[in-house]
């Protein structure tokens, strides 16, 4: 995890002035979100879709698959002990931060970078973005939840006011909507643009949701 994550990169159609780093969910890879990129109509943005490392996943019987961190249980009971592997979370966050730094080196300022993801990837985007030392353009959290909520004191002041969009399926059997809503509520601060939208879907992304995300990305990364 000390090396640069392998990525699917979809370059801008014109000189890039913005970047979107989008993190896939458990068992998927960077290609998962690739078909959505043309729908957003952001020819000035570079899309970075990294592949998570492969690791054994406890809830799947130790089966090895792409993941940002191990999940030890399916429940969301805060009294049941650690649900996720904290060391994996921190290692993945460091790797994602290196991707942001690489975009900075390519001439894209942090405030022109949106960090987002789906499910595990959305949880990592929220965790990493909230702790990033430079202000980002926005945080996109799809069908996800908050990681290490008991360590919010680590969050960086630079992103206290960063706009965030949370979307969730009302019938999600894997990440219940109450977990996503709790993450949204924890991000609320006076004056901060934090939005919530839910849809009559399960653990997935709908066409209506992608249309909403497109409009939000245009707000956060205008030409």
């Amino acid at each position: 995890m000390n090396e640069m994550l392998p990525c699917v990169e979809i370059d801008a159609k014109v000189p890039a002035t913005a970047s979107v780093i989008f993190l896939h969910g458990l068992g998927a890879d960077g290609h998962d979100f690739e078909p959505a990129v043309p729908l957003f109509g952001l020819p000035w943005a570079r899309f970075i879709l990294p592949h998570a490392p492969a690791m054994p996943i406890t809830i799947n019987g130790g089966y090895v698959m792409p993941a940002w961190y191990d999940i030890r249980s399916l429940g969301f009971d805060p009294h049941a002990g650690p649900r996720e592997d904290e060391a994996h979370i921190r290692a993945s966050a460091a790797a994602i931060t290196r991707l942001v730094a690489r975009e900075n080196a390519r001439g894209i300022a942090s405030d022109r970078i949106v960090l987002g993801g789906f499910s595990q990837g959305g949880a990592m985007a929220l965790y990493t973005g909230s702790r990033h030392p430079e202000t980002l353009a926005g945080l996109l959290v799809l069908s996800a939840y908050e990681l290490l909520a008991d360590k919010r004191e680590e969050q960086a002041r630079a992103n206290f006011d960063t706009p965030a969009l949370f979307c969730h399926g009302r019938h999600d059997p894997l990440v219940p909507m109450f977990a996503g809503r709790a993450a949204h509520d924890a991000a609320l601060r006076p004056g901060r643009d934090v939005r919530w939208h839910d849809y009559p879907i399960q653990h997935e992304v709908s066409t209506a949701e992608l249309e909403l995300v497109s409009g939000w990305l245009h707000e956060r990364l205008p030409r």
Side-chain angles (χ1 to χ4, degrees), residues 81-176:
R83 182 179 184 273
E84 301 89 9
D85 188 296
E86 181 173 341
H88 290 168
I89 292 169
R90 294 187 182 279
S92 288
I96 295 160
T97 298
R98 287 194 287 276
L99 292 178
V100 176
R102 185 174 67 176
E103 291 309 291
N104 296 157
R106 288 171 162 179
I108 308 298
S110 292
D111 64 2
R112 292 285 294 170
I113 297 174
V114 163
L115 184 57
F118 173 80
S119 192
Q120 251 204 1
M124 281 305 314
L126 179 61
Y127 175 87
T128 307
S130 297
R131 288 158 176 78
H132 196 69
E134 295 183 343
T135 304
L136 297 165
L139 302 177
L140 177 60
V141 186
L142 308 182
S143 301
Y145 59 100
E146 184 181 11
L147 294 169
L148 305 185
D150 60 334
K151 294 181 171 61
R152 288 184 192 136
E153 73 278 0
E154 299 173 348
Q155 294 179 0
R157 189 164 297 277
N159 284 289
F160 272 11
D161 297 322
T162 298
L165 174 62
F166 292 78
C167 298
H168 217 102
R170 292 175 206 146
H171 312 299
D172 192 330
L174 299 180
V175 181

Side-chain angles (χ1 to χ4, degrees), residues 11-18 37 40-47 218 223:
D11 211 354
K13 304 300 183 186
V14 297
T17 62
V37 172
F40 298 141
L42 289 168
W44 56 89
R46 179 187 297 118
F47 281 79
H218 277 262
R223 190 159 191 170

Side-chain angles (χ1 to χ4, degrees), residues 37-74:
V37 172
L39 305 177
F40 298 141
L42 289 168
W44 56 89
R46 179 187 297 118
F47 281 79
I48 310 297
L49 312 175
H51 305 299
M55 64 179 69
I57 300 300
T58 301
I59 61 168
N60 289 336
Y63 188 80
V64 175
M65 62 181 62
W68 300 107
Y69 51 85
D70 185 26
I71 301 177
R72 300 188 180 112
S73 67
L74 285 172

